[in-house]
Amino acid sequence: MIVVEDLDRLDVAVNRAKTALLDLGDRPIGAVLAIGDNLLFIDHSQAKSKKNCWAHAENQLLVNHSHLIWQAQQDKKPVVLYSTMECCLMCAGAAVHHRVSRIVYLCPDALGGALHINQEALDVFSRQRWPEIEGGLELLCLPHLDEIQQARARTLFKDSVWLYEQWIQRWDESPEKDLLQNQFALLREKIESSSSNPV
């Protein structure tokens, strides 16, 4: 269940994504790694600036803090990964191997998102360690939160969609761009609908 603390961490991720796009020219994906109750780490996608296909925000957080995650597992502490974008297959795989207990994300990704993959098609290891997945369109309907927090969740979702759309508009014309533009149109409709008909 999404709680206020999750929104706080998603807010941090969105701010990092804005910095990545507007100040650094990188893909606008921000992520936060929470280990236990106290340790928080933040990163953004640096695939473009580093010219490194592995340098996704989520992957970098997991690899760079692998030793702390390992210790958290020994201490039975939860490890939660937050992202402004639905994780790709590489980052989802890294999360599985790091035994991430939960992933919370904002914007669905029709092009590369892998969090809702058919788990029955995965190997036994991955199925048994697949994290709890929350977020996406769920953020537009959170009746267990008060109206202020519901509005905040919708704003975070809207901001993540806007950031990704700004990035895609820089692409040359391609079938992938058309696919994503269609996704953005559908997401905007859902955002408008949830804003005019709040729970």
Side-chain angles (χ1 to χ4, degrees):
M1 178 183 292
I2 302 284
V3 297
V4 173
E5 183 178 57
D6 295 325
L7 300 183
D8 293 341
R9 293 170 178 178
L10 288 170
D11 201 354
V12 172
V14 166
N15 286 329
R16 178 55 73 95
K18 288 178 180 176
T19 298
L21 176 69
L22 303 176
D23 297 342
L24 305 174
D26 268 312
R27 195 176 186 193
I29 299 177
V32 171
L33 178 66
I35 302 176
D37 296 324
N38 301 313
L39 291 178
L40 289 178
F41 302 95
I42 310 161
D43 212 332
H44 65 274
S45 175
Q46 298 175 55
K48 181 182 178 188
S49 59
K50 288 185 173 181
K51 296 180 174 56
N52 182 340
C53 296
W54 293 91
H56 291 197
E58 306 92 338
N59 198 45
Q60 291 185 124
L61 280 174
L62 294 168
V63 171
N64 292 339
H65 301 94
S66 190
H67 60 293
L68 295 174
I69 296 171
W70 181 275
Q71 187 58 53
Q73 293 166 6
Q74 309 309 306
D75 298 338
K76 306 275 193 257
K77 292 180 180 178
V79 177
V80 184
L81 182 62
Y82 298 86
S83 182
T84 57
M85 178 69 62
E86 181 180 358
C87 296
C88 70
L89 190 58
M90 174 181 69
C91 295
V96 166
H97 282 275
H98 280 88
R99 317 297 204 276
V100 169
S101 31
R102 186 168 168 253
I103 297 176
V104 184
Y105 72 98
L106 285 167
C107 183
D109 184 4
L111 183 59
L115 294 181
H116 299 286
I117 193 170
N118 177 10
Q119 293 176 38
E120 293 304 312
L122 298 175
D123 57 88
V124 174
F125 178 93
S126 299
R127 284 201 308 271
Q128 290 177 344
R129 292 163 180 81
W130 196 259
E132 176 186 359
I133 307 296
E134 293 189 281
L137 294 174
E138 176 186 357
L139 287 157
L140 298 178
C141 182
L142 298 172
H144 59 281
L145 296 181
D146 64 37
E147 290 183 9
I148 293 173
Q149 297 302 332
Q150 289 184 55
R152 183 181 176 207
R154 286 193 297 272
T155 298
L156 288 169
F157 184 87
K158 184 177 180 180
D159 286 352
S160 71
V161 173
W162 179 85
L163 281 164
Y164 196 38
E165 191 166 15
Q166 295 306 303
W167 178 256
I168 296 305
Q169 285 176 359
R170 300 179 183 192
W171 287 12
D172 295 329
E173 291 298 326
S174 69
E176 290 82 7
K177 183 173 181 178
D178 292 341
L179 169 68
L180 289 168
Q181 292 291 13
N182 290 335
Q183 177 190 359
F184 294 139
L186 291 171
L187 291 175
R188 282 194 298 272
E189 286 180 14
K190 291 184 180 299
I191 291 168
E192 290 171 11
S193 175
S194 68
S195 298
S196 59
N197 300 295
V199 177

